[in-house]
């Protein structure tokens, strides 16, 4: 049995290998949405803007930055996909550690 998040991650890696960074980014964001909702004690059906606001409040990050990271920033290259994956990982790590002092803007997805 493969967990849903493992399947999404595997599909993201596959899409990345065949040069579809936008599709891989969608999968990464979907997986991150579910994970962040779980960490925040929210339903996985929570709206992206509501999740962004809750995560921003919990981490001390700018709500617009978190919203762009979770839903809005364009990903057209492998470098942008890599930056997005790192930033989503950093954000998740902040929530797990309860660390509101580290910025998530350590990579540009533009």
């Amino acid at each position: 049995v493969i967990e849903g998040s493992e399947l999404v991650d595997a599909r993201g890696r596959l899409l990345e290998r065949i040069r579809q960074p936008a599709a891989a980014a969608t999968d990464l964001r979907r997986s991150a949405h579910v994970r962040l909702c779980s960490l925040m004690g929210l339903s996985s059906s929570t709206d992206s803007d509501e999740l962004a606001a809750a995560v921003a409040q919990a981490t001390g990050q700018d709500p617009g930055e978190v919203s762009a990271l979770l839903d809005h920033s364009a990903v057209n290259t492998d470098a942008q996909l890599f930056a997005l994956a790192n930033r989503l990982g950093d954000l998740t790590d902040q929530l797990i550690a309860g660390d509101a002092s580290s910025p998530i803007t350590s990579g540009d997805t533009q």
Side-chain angles (χ1 to χ4, degrees), residues 26-66:
T26 297
D27 283 344
L28 284 172
R29 285 182 168 130
R30 189 175 299 124
S31 180
H33 183 100
V34 170
R35 175 80 168 138
L36 293 171
C37 282
S38 175
L39 289 170
M40 295 297 300
L42 300 170
S43 165
S44 62
S45 64
T46 299
D47 175 82
S48 292
D49 289 333
E50 184 180 341
L51 175 61
V55 169
Q57 183 176 12
T59 61
Q61 303 298 328
D62 177 81
E65 286 280 332
V66 176

Side-chain angles (χ1 to χ4, degrees), residues 29 48-49 52 63-64 66-75 109-110:
R29 285 182 168 130
S48 292
D49 289 333
V66 176
S67 181
L69 183 61
L70 294 177
D71 203 33
H72 304 297
S73 60
V75 176
T109 59
Q110 299 294 322

Side-chain angles (χ1 to χ4, degrees), residues 3-25:
E3 287 188 27
S5 62
E6 290 178 21
L7 186 57
V8 169
D9 290 341
R11 183 168 183 252
R13 287 189 300 275
L14 175 63
L15 292 171
E16 181 181 7
R17 280 183 276 176
I18 59 173
R19 300 278 191 215
Q20 294 184 15

